[in-house]
Amino acid sequence: MFDSHDFFKKRFVAHLKETSRYLRYIFNGHIAFAMLFFVSALAYYYQQWLTELPENFPTAIIIGIVFGLLISYSPVRTLLKEPDLVFLITAENKMGPYFRNGIVYSFIIQLYLILLAGAMFGPLYSATYPDRAGGVYLLTLLVVLVFKSWNLMANWWMLKVREPGIRHVDLLVRTLLNMAVFYFIIQGEMLLAGVTTLLFTLVFLYDLNVSRKQAGIVWDLLVEKDRNRMHSFYRLANMFTDVPHLRNQVKSRHWLVTLVNKVPFANKHTFDYLYRITFIRSGDYLGMYIRLIVIGGLFIYYVPNIWMKLIFALLFLYMSSFQMMTLYHHHRTIMWLDLYPVDLEIRQRSLVKLLFQLTIIQTVIFSLLFLGMGEFVGVLAFLVAGTLFNYLFINGYVKKKMK
């Protein structure tokens, strides 16, 4: 006798075991330290900024948009796999407990985003509306949880609809209504909040009616959605460790390749060429490198204290070097590279050279940002500190890890 509830428990345990293994690599000591520093610094400057909050600051608009997006993003994790398309379809009428467990699991794992947003916006709400009791904001968070559960159910019902256009329009309408509801709640306009809630209820009942008219479950869509989410998780984990499940996506980027593929034709430059091309075309190395530069630049620009600017700049240099280290293991599952008549020392030297080049470019960009802000002391200090950090970190930590 097939027990779908027991089957979900087994699938859930296997899923937790697999994801927790990669999460240990993602949240290692280095990343945990960086995150702790970021959170502490942001909390300090956030508190400082709240003391000078402008009277016309659009608090209601910001909170309404963020809560609306978080509520609307309510994917249902079914933990289905491709073989289920063959072996579980025949047991579709017994899968009710399985999918109910999946919906509950989806609701629980998505709560952390709402809790984080609620904790982040609490001080902003109090600073903007000091005359309101704190219980009003807590009641708002309770309404957020109610709307989250409604949107999760609506998303589940719409997964029975095969036409993507209908699903996208439904999601767009619900997102706009979610934003409007919480904008009016934060503004204290409860009548308009009640009207938009009524409109949302009509859309909610429409989704229920549409799902009832659909015959059966769209199994291939559920499997595709879960596969795409796991692929995104594997791509994230692949930045920190080798993920055998991940199929590396190679992008052409011809115009960028032509800028970096000019290397002398000699054995000692074999891996110079390979690592450069891998950085440009494979995985998400280039995108991650650019994102770290952009985010680091924003921190340097907006953080008021010059010494904190320097610390953030060095921290982003460290993160770039640490993430780019994985290039060394990117091709380790390809046995043909072992046939190259190239010593291991030359391979390691090629990676060190590329890391130096990337971090020096980042150092120059950050220094130019200091110069554009008129922080002449910061320019000189970061050029010296950044170059020294790059030399010590790459020749110390990186080389040690490669050996």
Side-chain angles (χ1 to χ4, degrees):
M1 188 68 179
F2 178 71
D3 186 349
S4 64
H5 176 71
D6 185 63
F7 179 67
F8 179 85
K9 289 196 295 184
K10 293 178 180 178
R11 182 65 59 86
F12 177 68
V13 170
H15 172 73
L16 283 185
K17 188 179 297 184
E18 181 175 11
T19 54
S20 62
R21 184 170 71 250
Y22 290 113
L23 286 173
R24 284 198 299 269
Y25 289 104
I26 295 175
F27 295 104
N28 54 45
H30 301 275
I31 300 301
F33 169 76
M35 289 181 64
L36 178 62
F37 182 83
F38 279 136
V39 172
S40 302
L42 286 175
Y44 173 77
Y45 286 110
Y46 181 47
Q47 196 65 37
Q48 294 290 105
W49 174 75
L50 287 178
T51 60
E52 304 173 357
L53 185 69
E55 292 184 2
N56 60 344
F57 188 78
T59 298
I61 295 177
I62 294 175
I63 296 180
I65 290 175
V66 173
F67 278 169
L69 292 175
L70 290 178
I71 292 167
S72 303
Y73 176 74
S74 301
V76 178
R77 294 302 307 269
T78 60
L79 307 183
L80 293 177
K81 302 180 182 296
E82 291 189 22
D84 298 336
L85 293 173
V86 177
F87 298 104
L88 288 184
I89 288 182
T90 55
E92 180 175 327
N93 60 336
K94 301 177 182 178
M95 290 292 290
Y98 181 94
F99 291 126
R100 281 196 297 272
N101 291 337
I103 293 172
V104 172
Y105 167 62
S106 302
F107 180 78
I108 293 174
I109 63 171
Q110 293 169 33
L111 284 182
Y112 77 95
L113 290 174
I114 293 177
L115 296 177
L116 286 176
M120 180 179 68
F121 288 131
L124 176 61
Y125 180 88
S126 300
T128 307
Y129 308 104
D131 55 328
R132 297 185 189 177
V136 176
Y137 186 69
L138 294 178
L139 181 61
T140 302
L141 294 181
L142 180 61
V143 177
V144 169
L145 296 181
V146 174
F147 269 77
K148 180 68 174 179
S149 62
W150 288 352
N151 279 270
L152 190 66
M153 289 306 305
N155 280 341
W156 169 246
W157 291 333
M158 293 307 293
L159 285 174
K160 295 183 180 180
V161 179
R162 187 171 290 278
E163 294 80 4
I166 297 177
R167 297 198 305 270
H168 294 159
V169 171
D170 175 80
L171 179 60
L172 176 62
V173 172
R174 282 191 288 109
T175 301
L176 294 176
L177 289 174
N178 289 329
M179 291 179 180
V181 167
F182 287 98
Y183 167 76
F184 291 134
I185 290 177
I186 297 299
Q187 280 286 81
E189 300 178 10
M190 296 305 173
L191 178 60
L192 292 175
V195 172
T196 48
T197 301
L198 179 60
L199 294 175
F200 179 88
T201 304
L202 294 176
V203 176
F204 182 77
L205 295 175
Y206 167 79
D207 293 344
L208 174 60
N209 185 54
V210 168
S211 69
R212 287 177 174 174
K213 294 180 179 179
Q214 305 301 316
I217 297 171
V218 186
W219 287 86
D220 56 328
L221 178 63
L222 297 181
V223 171
E224 179 188 356
K225 293 284 187 182
D226 232 77
R227 182 176 61 241
N228 291 340
R229 278 187 284 272
M230 286 305 298
H231 183 75
S232 299
F233 174 75
Y234 288 144
R235 287 185 62 190
L236 173 65
N238 195 56
M239 299 177 184
F240 303 89
T241 185
D242 181 59
V243 181
H245 308 285
L246 184 66
R247 299 174 183 174
N248 288 319
Q249 296 180 341
V250 179
K251 301 175 183 178
S252 56
R253 294 172 175 163
H254 293 299
W255 67 277
L256 283 176
V257 170
T258 57
L259 298 176
V260 301
N261 64 357
K262 301 297 189 297
V263 297
F265 190 74
N267 280 3
K268 65 179 181 179
H269 297 295
T270 299
F271 280 89
D272 290 347
Y273 177 84
L274 180 63
Y275 287 139
R276 289 183 184 184
I277 300 301
T278 303
F279 171 75
I280 295 295
R281 299 184 59 192
S282 298
D284 196 32
Y285 297 107
L286 178 62
M288 180 168 50
Y289 178 70
I290 294 174
R291 285 194 295 271
L292 288 173
I293 290 178
V294 172
I295 298 173
L298 292 175
F299 273 93
I300 294 171
Y301 185 81
Y302 284 107
V303 170
N305 185 277
I306 180 63
W307 301 112
M308 289 300 296
K309 291 177 186 287
L310 291 171
I311 292 175
F312 272 111
L314 289 174
L315 186 59
F316 276 93
L317 271 183
Y318 157 75
M319 293 177 66
S320 295
S321 301
F322 185 76
Q323 297 299 333
M324 294 304 115
M325 281 172 51
T326 56
L327 276 166
Y328 186 68
H329 299 291
H330 186 86
H331 298 288
R332 70 179 182 181
T333 58
I334 303 176
M335 64 179 182
W336 305 112
L337 298 185
D338 295 331
L339 301 179
Y340 288 1
V342 179
D343 292 338
L344 182 62
E345 183 181 349
I346 295 178
R347 181 186 303 192
Q348 295 172 350
R349 194 159 56 236
S350 296
L351 180 67
V352 168
K353 184 193 301 184
L354 179 61
L355 288 181
F356 264 123
Q357 293 168 348
L358 293 175
T359 52
I360 288 299
I361 291 173
Q362 189 171 353
T363 302
V364 171
I365 292 174
F366 285 168
S367 299
L368 290 175
L369 181 57
F370 278 109
L371 182 63
M373 294 163 53
E375 300 282 0
F376 300 106
V377 175
V379 176
L380 181 60
F382 186 66
L383 279 175
V384 174
T387 304
L388 183 62
F389 172 82
N390 293 334
Y391 179 82
L392 295 176
F393 182 78
I394 294 175
N395 281 286
Y397 183 80
V398 174
K399 285 187 175 181
K400 180 180 177 182
K401 278 294 182 181
M402 286 192 296
K403 295 178 180 179

